Amino acid sequence: MAASNSVEVKHVHVITPADPPPPCLLPLSAIDSQLMLRFPNEYLLIYTPSPALERSTISSSFRAALSQVLVSYFPLSGRVRERPDASGLEVVCRSQGALFLEAVSDCYSAEDFDRPPPSIGKWRGFLTFPEEDALDGSPPLVVQLTWLKDGAAAVGVGLSHSLCDGIGSAEFLNSFADFAAGRLRAASELKPPPVWDRHLLNPQPQFCHRRYSSPPPVFQRVPDLCRFMSLFTDEPLVPTAVTFGKTHITSLKSLAHSTRRPGVPAFTAFEVLAAHIWRSWARSLKLPPNQTLKLLFSINVRKRIKPNLPSGYYGNAFVLGCAQTTAGELAEKKLDHAASLVREAKERVGDEHVRHVAETLSESRACPDLIGVLILTQWSRLGLEKVDFGMGRPVHVGPICGDRHCFLLPVNNQTDAVKTILAVPTSAVDKYESMVRNVAT
């Protein structure tokens, strides 16, 4: 079975829980059910070649481990559908199964992933059966193990975003890997055990129907002064990858601190890096100065709501932070201005804000408008770099397909470094890369 010209799928297996639970229906939360999450998170992990990597043994360990981990994460072997009353999504759990694919490639080696792909879909073959529609009966979990020409291994994972956020996905993958490597033997050994409890992020009855003056900023539309979306469709997008080491991040902090107002606390690494990428991206696109721009990024709310969510909660427990300004201000003002906007967006997210978002989503099909928007996805702090299936830690962690969303990724053996991946229009590539690599502006 051919997946692409460069990857050939040899076997497809349906994997069900080793100890299937009774059939049930599980409702998803208002945040899980939102339109913007009806797609899969797609992860690609690369493991270097080793004489100890016996293919049949590794493949068998993957199949057995997946069956074992699905005992505790059994909703991932179900199917997502719309509730009959259209009030959100639910999971039909009858142990329908996840997919496990085995594939080979004679075109790629581990070192090919040290640099970005030449086009945004070049690595598509490493996850052959993506979940195109969360509600079409597709399995919410697909795992593909591909053996590369140098003996290295690529592990592609597609995991329904309606079921797990990034933190939940990473917890699942590390548990799956622990079973495969023999570090876990039984579902009872998972610590903390996975927690469903999706009702905790639904609107609370005592707070429902409060009269908010407007929707949260992330759902508010802004004028389109430049046919914004056409910037990303009229010409090919080119993936870029830039790694920021500890020295680079320290330089960005120093630059932002040198112009910040007296009494303003020091900026975090995330705040200055997000601000720097946002400014470089905006300036490279040559936007009208009065075009409103937004930077959207995930904020974990597990400990920002009252009561805190329980340890082991693997559903979508985040809202989008929203920093906003004009293209002119972003370009003309210093780094500290953009970093302050990022910080203010983070500080706005507390219990009241989360409840506002949940109520908005439960009452409408609200979805962020993408005009003027850069979405930043932070995978660098999830623990994906620790996922060891018995082949050592991955030397590369990233998305299957790059796009115009920016990913912050971990860097192999550099705990203080961050790799950024972002696809930009062909005409903007040189300027973007020049600006983002220059931390002195």
Side-chain angles (χ1 to χ4, degrees):
M1 182 187 304
S4 73
N5 292 334
S6 56
V7 179
E8 182 181 2
V9 175
K10 296 292 190 180
H11 303 286
V12 180
H13 309 270
V14 177
I15 307 296
T16 57
D19 183 13
C24 63
L25 279 177
L26 295 175
L28 289 162
S29 74
I31 290 179
D32 290 324
S33 297
Q34 61 186 301
L35 292 177
M36 65 166 283
L37 298 185
R38 298 184 183 187
F39 68 93
N41 272 325
E42 297 182 337
Y43 304 97
L44 180 62
L45 299 90
I46 305 298
Y47 298 86
T48 53
S50 166
L53 298 186
E54 210 289 311
R55 294 188 180 187
S56 61
T57 301
I58 294 293
S59 295
S60 295
S61 72
F62 266 68
R63 294 195 299 273
L66 192 51
S67 184
Q68 289 173 305
V69 76
L70 286 175
V71 172
S72 297
Y73 286 94
F74 67 88
L76 302 186
S77 67
R79 298 294 183 266
V80 181
R81 73 179 186 188
E82 190 94 42
R83 289 182 212 152
D85 63 1
S87 62
L89 302 180
E90 63 187 8
V91 188
V92 181
C93 297
R94 299 195 186 103
S95 299
Q96 297 95 320
L99 281 187
F100 175 66
L101 294 78
E102 299 177 67
V104 296
S105 173
D106 59 4
C107 297
Y108 290 99
S109 59
E111 65 180 13
D112 291 322
F113 300 90
D114 293 339
R115 52 193 174 273
S119 62
I120 58 177
K122 186 68 174 179
W123 295 343
R124 176 77 273 163
F126 291 104
L127 192 60
T128 310
F129 289 91
E131 176 201 355
E132 299 292 351
D133 183 347
L135 309 183
D136 71 353
S138 298
L141 173 62
V142 179
V143 179
Q144 181 172 321
L145 173 62
T146 303
W147 295 102
L148 307 182
K149 66 181 181 180
D150 61 346
V155 178
V157 179
L159 187 48
S160 171
H161 207 332
S162 297
L163 293 180
C164 302
D165 64 6
I167 291 174
S169 296
E171 289 176 349
F172 165 77
L173 287 172
N174 274 293
S175 296
F176 174 22
D178 284 345
F179 275 114
R183 293 184 293 270
L184 287 177
R185 299 289 182 182
S188 59
E189 297 177 10
L190 285 173
K191 299 202 182 325
V195 173
W196 186 257
D197 287 357
R198 303 304 170 99
H199 65 282
L200 296 175
L201 279 174
N202 282 331
Q204 301 301 302
Q206 66 269 33
F207 297 127
C208 281
H209 308 299
R210 283 181 288 189
R211 298 298 179 184
Y212 294 104
S213 59
S214 60
V218 68
F219 300 126
Q220 296 174 18
R221 295 181 176 274
V222 303
D224 186 355
L225 306 180
C226 58
R227 294 183 63 244
F228 181 81
M229 297 306 295
S230 69
L231 299 174
F232 306 95
T233 56
D234 287 353
E235 56 184 298
L237 299 182
V238 178
T240 68
V242 179
T243 297
F244 291 85
K246 182 177 182 180
T247 300
H248 299 96
I249 294 173
T250 299
S251 296
L252 283 173
K253 284 184 175 182
S254 298
L255 181 63
H257 295 163
S258 68
T259 54
R260 79 184 193 276
R261 298 187 306 277
V264 173
F267 295 112
T268 66
F270 173 80
E271 289 163 356
V272 296
L273 188 55
H276 177 61
I277 294 167
W278 190 24
R279 293 178 78 231
S280 301
W281 171 84
R283 293 162 81 182
S284 73
L285 295 178
K286 301 178 182 177
L287 302 167
N290 57 341
Q291 175 63 57
T292 299
L293 301 180
K294 294 180 180 180
L295 177 71
L296 306 184
F297 55 94
S298 299
I299 298 176
N300 176 17
V301 301
R302 284 165 172 79
K303 295 184 179 179
R304 288 177 180 249
I305 62 172
K306 300 174 184 177
N308 293 170
L309 292 177
S311 180
Y313 186 94
Y314 63 98
N316 288 286
F318 76 93
V319 299
L320 290 174
C322 178
Q324 180 171 320
T325 187
T326 63
E329 285 200 346
L330 199 57
E332 294 163 10
K333 294 190 176 182
K334 301 295 185 182
L335 182 63
D336 70 297
H337 172 70
S340 294
L341 294 175
V342 174
R343 169 176 290 170
E344 290 164 9
K346 290 165 56 181
E347 291 175 344
R348 281 195 293 269
V349 176
D351 186 72
E352 173 71 16
H353 181 86
V354 175
R355 301 301 176 190
H356 186 188
V357 170
E359 185 167 332
T360 300
L361 291 170
S362 69
E363 294 180 346
S364 70
R365 289 182 170 261
C367 194
D369 182 32
L370 295 182
I371 302 303
V373 165
L374 174 64
I375 297 178
L376 191 154
T377 300
Q378 188 177 24
W379 287 0
S380 56
R381 297 294 184 89
L382 299 180
L384 294 168
E385 73 282 0
K386 300 176 183 176
V387 177
D388 177 3
F389 292 97
M391 301 182 289
R393 291 189 173 190
V395 294
H396 166 85
V397 172
I400 291 283
C401 292
D403 57 21
R404 70 181 198 86
H405 299 170
C406 181
F407 289 86
L408 302 187
L409 305 172
V411 180
N412 183 41
N413 292 327
Q414 297 183 54
T415 56
D416 294 321
V418 177
K419 181 191 232 181
T420 67
I421 292 182
L422 174 63
V424 295
T426 305
S427 60
V429 170
D430 291 343
K431 185 171 184 181
Y432 170 75
E433 289 197 320
S434 174
M435 299 192 73
V436 82
R437 292 178 189 278
N438 183 1
V439 299
T441 58

